[in-house]
Amino acid sequence: LRRRLPVLRWLPRYSLAWLQLDLMAGLTVGLTVVPQALAYAEVAGLPLQYGLYSSFMGCFVYCFLGTAKDVTLGPTAIMSLLVSSYAFHEPVYAILLTFLSGCIQLAMGLLHLGFLLDFISCPVIKGFTSAASITISFNQVKNILGLQGIPRQFFLQVYETLRRIGETRAGDAVLGLACLAVLAGLRAMKSRLPQAACVEPLAARLSYLIVWTSATARNALVVLFAGLVAYSFQVMGSQPLTLTGSIPQGLPAFQLPRFSMAAPNGTIPFRSMVEDMGVGLAVVPLMGLLETVAIAKAFASQNDYRIDPNQELLALGFANILGSFVSSYPITGSFGRTAVNAQSGVCTPAGGLVTGALVLLSLAYLTSLFYYIPKAALAAVIISAVVPMFDAGIFRTLWRVKRLDLVPLCVTFLLCFWEVQYGIVAGVLVSGILLLYSIARPPIKVSEGDVLLVQLGSSLHFPAMECLRDAVCSRALAASPPRSVVLDCCHLSSIDYTVVVGLAELRQELRKHGLSLAFCSLQDPVLKVLLSADLEGFQHFPSREEAERCGGAEPGGGGTAPFTSTRESSLLP
């Protein structure tokens, strides 16, 4: 029960000191999540209130089921981009996608399928996040410039933005660029802010606290400042800024997601909606889990605690399923808000309760004030959040480390500008092909002497059998005179039936030319497979120590060989 309900691990030890730190962290994260939620809903192509609807349920669920104290669940830039691709800017599709993604994540957690993330390589992730950074940033340029009617497809977006740049609204552009400059300045200030020591004067510590709080809650401060500017213009009777507009006030209804949608020409049934989402039902759950586990692992390693990927799957699955009942679109772990949470000194996941409560209060009482938030300010918040996701150094790093890894990186990066799903799927396929090629062509070292010693640099699987046969036969038969072969199996921990059959055929081919095939350094699992295959020509000759333990039978003698092996064991035809 403690493993499946992690809250039971820390709740009995909860203290007043922890409560104070969790309250501070929860409030700080809450000031960050409210403006970000409004901005990310714009990226997802949904009405802005859906960003807030998506920001509180994950906080509550993760408090009880999460294994990392720092992680906060909610809308993110990456997930919002995916939702814009698979929900077609329809809230009904987005909410159903949330429910189905949660069910898939929950099933994966129960079946312990978290290991599937291991097949998504780092170059694929870097290619996707870097392309997403550019795509999301450029998607907000239209709001910075005050342009209307710009298409969402990336290449059309670039063309139309450049073509219509002369229509830029001066008020939006000035405010948007000013917000970007302030956000960049506060971010740089926070990164260079020295830690205040306890021995310093009270005034110095208060100054540090004010600067740190201002830099940490920079999104809220910038949005508040921009809203005051817009309200001032509204009072004066002129409005040079494009405003967010009305947002429905009140909490979302708690209800089942809709499994069909009314359309002008009839009703779209559940089956058609699922077919429309297509590969998104695989991409969204996996990318959601990938973000959450990667963030949890990063902060767990910094704070010396362990996380369980399968438990994270369960927490994320429950959060998305319950979130769909309150009109949430798919959520995942947020790196930026998790970093704020950790830097605020959070002690337990209970800080999420404070964050969730703050979002609910905003929905209940503050939505009327959101009317005056300029779209340019929200665009600045989004661009400031996603620009650090672009990792220009990864190209140079992979060129130095392993240039072949640039292939999946570039494939993913380039295709994500066309369609996100194509980029991710193509990158995973290319990584899989490179992995399979390395399995099918293992490094083989051949040393010549009285016999031919063949050493495998890695394990042996069935795709590599033909390569091994060609290498052995070409060297053994080309030697003058032809030489018998000894296969060093020290790197073989397991083999399959296809490999056993291939070795038997290799033995027969060498035997036709009067040559032998011997095996050395066999490990027990490999020896067991070779013997249980019961193929003609294989015999187990024990080492001298084994023979002595079994009653003095000489190696190669007529006694029955024991079913054991050591590093000196061999199989001889």
Side-chain angles (χ1 to χ4, degrees), residues 66 84 105-106 149 153 375:
S84 73
Q105 290 164 339
L106 185 61
Q153 208 282 333
K375 286 190 174 182

Side-chain angles (χ1 to χ4, degrees), residues 441-524:
R441 295 293 181 268
I444 299 173
K445 180 182 177 183
V446 181
S447 305
E448 294 190 8
D450 294 336
V451 295
L452 212 64
L453 178 62
V454 179
Q455 295 174 297
L456 291 169
S458 62
S459 194
L460 184 63
H461 302 280
F462 69 89
M465 193 58 233
E466 199 61 34
C467 174
L468 177 64
R469 284 183 61 182
D470 292 344
V472 170
C473 290
S474 61
R475 295 292 295 271
L477 300 180
S480 181
R483 292 179 174 84
S484 294
V485 178
V486 176
L487 186 61
D488 186 354
C489 302
C490 64
H491 293 297
L492 266 69
S493 57
S494 66
I495 57 174
D496 53 57
Y497 183 72
T498 305
V499 172
V500 175
V501 172
L503 291 174
E505 292 173 352
L506 175 61
R507 169 198 163 278
Q508 292 172 1
E509 191 167 346
L510 292 174
R511 191 173 183 181
K512 289 177 186 176
H513 297 84
L515 305 176
S516 299
L517 174 65
F519 302 79
C520 70
S521 303
L522 281 170
Q523 299 185 35
D524 286 334

Side-chain angles (χ1 to χ4, degrees), residues 39-114:
Y40 289 151
E42 164 71 21
V43 175
L46 300 173
L48 298 193
Q49 66 268 24
Y50 286 90
L52 294 173
Y53 294 165
S54 307
S55 301
F56 61 88
M57 186 58 77
C59 299
F60 296 146
V61 172
Y62 198 83
C63 176
F64 296 95
L65 298 177
T67 56
K69 67 180 180 65
D70 305 294
V71 169
T72 62
L73 298 184
T76 66
I78 295 293
M79 194 55 64
S80 300
L81 178 65
L82 293 175
V83 170
S84 73
S85 299
Y86 299 117
F88 318 109
H89 311 161
E90 288 287 349
V92 176
Y93 270 90
I95 295 167
L96 182 59
L97 180 60
T98 305
F99 177 77
L100 296 178
S101 297
C103 291
I104 293 170
Q105 290 164 339
L106 185 61
M108 290 175 64
L110 293 173
L111 296 174
H112 295 269
L113 297 180

